[in-house]
Amino acid sequence: MSGTAPVDYLLHLADNALVLGQRNAEWCGHGPILEEDLALANNSLDLLGQARLLYQHAATLINADAAQSRRFGHLLGARSDGAVTEDTLAYFRDTHEFRNLTLLELPHSGPLAATACGDRDYATTLARNFLYSALMVLVWDRLQASADGQLAAIAAKSLKEARYHLRHASDWLVRLGDGTEESHARAQAALHHLLPYCQEFWIGSEAETAAVHNGTGVDVAGLRADWDALVDDTLKEATLQRPAMQGHVPQGKHGVHSEHMGFLLAEMQSLARAHPHAVW
């Protein structure tokens, strides 16, 4: 429909927010200091709120379109009324159906741990939040002019939150980079680990292309120069070196995920799947 964002574009944005929100929530009760424990919990709640609004919008479009309803019909076993909801989109899609950036599903253990089950590395968490928030400040800003009025309203709300997330992550990255020898090394290692995954930002998907064509989405490739400037300015202040972005380009936007995604979803979805008709 003209003036309506493609469902897959809304799901891409929603999945990004949900998956990173789930990852950041893993710090709840484990933050290095109480204030940061609360800060990341609030960050997660912001992202969850963004995901909910986007999933609700997508569900409305799916339920109003017969072809889309058939496409997502395999999710309806979890619903007694035969309607797709934000919950069915979050809890009853499988790994290959998610369209989030691969960067966001990676564990917190970072490059200095032997395995993904290693201790959480706060520098890895903050570097990821910084790289993603720098992108989303630009995306949400442009989406305020989306031809999809509902998406434009979500963008206006989300932009305020993304600006806070960027400021929080930037401040901490500067503190770590310009801090002790240990904190500097951890921050630098996190950037070396994560920056190659950012290549996926600039490779558009079919959903993103369709959204750009009907005036509801953003051409992310056109944001690269502004993103580079944001990143470079902060890294300079943090006395950190920007490593090259090269190597394998991840394909999370296309449903091809890392081995970590299935474990993340298993933990997040287990209760809903065990009791699909429960009322809370």
Side-chain angles (χ1 to χ4, degrees), residues 167-276:
R167 183 169 65 250
H168 173 263
S170 299
D171 288 349
W172 265 101
L173 199 60
V174 170
R175 186 181 302 184
L176 294 175
D178 196 29
T180 66
E181 182 178 345
E182 173 71 12
S183 69
H184 179 93
R186 286 185 172 272
Q188 189 65 65
L191 289 171
H192 277 283
H193 172 50
L194 297 174
L195 260 173
Y197 288 93
C198 296
Q199 294 178 97
E200 188 180 4
F201 291 176
W202 321 120
I203 309 299
S205 64
E206 291 184 7
E208 288 172 309
T209 300
V212 171
H213 284 169
N214 77 351
T216 61
V218 175
D219 179 9
V220 288
L223 304 178
R224 187 166 187 172
D226 290 338
W227 183 84
D228 283 337
L230 280 172
V231 170
D232 290 343
D233 287 347
T234 298
L235 295 190
K236 181 179 180 180
E237 185 179 358
T239 69
L240 294 166
Q241 298 298 313
R242 177 172 173 171
M245 289 197 302
Q246 58 187 359
H248 171 71
V249 180
Q251 298 290 315
K253 289 181 182 180
H254 302 280
V256 181
H257 294 282
S258 71
E259 66 271 25
H260 307 295
M261 184 65 173
F263 293 102
L264 182 150
L265 291 182
E267 182 173 2
M268 186 184 77
Q269 297 178 337
S270 59
L271 182 62
R273 291 190 178 222
H275 305 283

Side-chain angles (χ1 to χ4, degrees), residues 71-231:
R71 176 187 165 199
F72 290 93
H74 64 290
L75 303 178
L76 300 182
R79 293 284 301 179
S80 58
D81 59 4
V84 170
T85 69
E86 59 181 291
D87 290 335
T88 53
L89 292 172
Y91 294 128
F92 295 95
R93 284 185 298 146
D94 292 328
T95 301
H96 68 279
E97 297 175 280
F98 275 76
R99 295 294 181 265
N100 57 281
L101 297 161
T102 304
L103 171 72
L104 308 181
E105 68 202 41
L106 301 177
H108 304 286
S109 52
L112 302 181
T115 70
C117 295
D119 292 338
R120 296 176 180 87
D121 179 66
Y122 204 57
T124 297
T125 297
L126 292 169
R128 171 172 46 204
N129 286 351
F130 166 68
L131 296 170
Y132 175 70
S133 297
L135 173 69
M136 293 312 297
V137 162
L138 302 171
V139 170
W140 292 130
D141 182 53
R142 305 307 194 278
L143 281 177
Q144 292 182 106
S146 172
D148 184 325
Q150 183 68 17
L151 179 55
I154 295 171
K157 172 185 178 296
S158 301
L159 176 60
K160 299 174 184 177
E161 297 165 344
R163 284 173 173 160
Y164 165 73
H165 299 167
L166 177 60
R167 183 169 65 250
H168 173 263
S170 299
D171 288 349
W172 265 101
L173 199 60
V174 170
R175 186 181 302 184
L176 294 175
D178 196 29
T180 66
E181 182 178 345
E182 173 71 12
S183 69
H184 179 93
R186 286 185 172 272
Q188 189 65 65
L191 289 171
H192 277 283
H193 172 50
L194 297 174
L195 260 173
Y197 288 93
C198 296
Q199 294 178 97
E200 188 180 4
F201 291 176
W202 321 120
I203 309 299
S205 64
E206 291 184 7
E208 288 172 309
T209 300
V212 171
H213 284 169
N214 77 351
T216 61
V218 175
D219 179 9
V220 288
L223 304 178
R224 187 166 187 172
D226 290 338
W227 183 84
D228 283 337
L230 280 172
V231 170

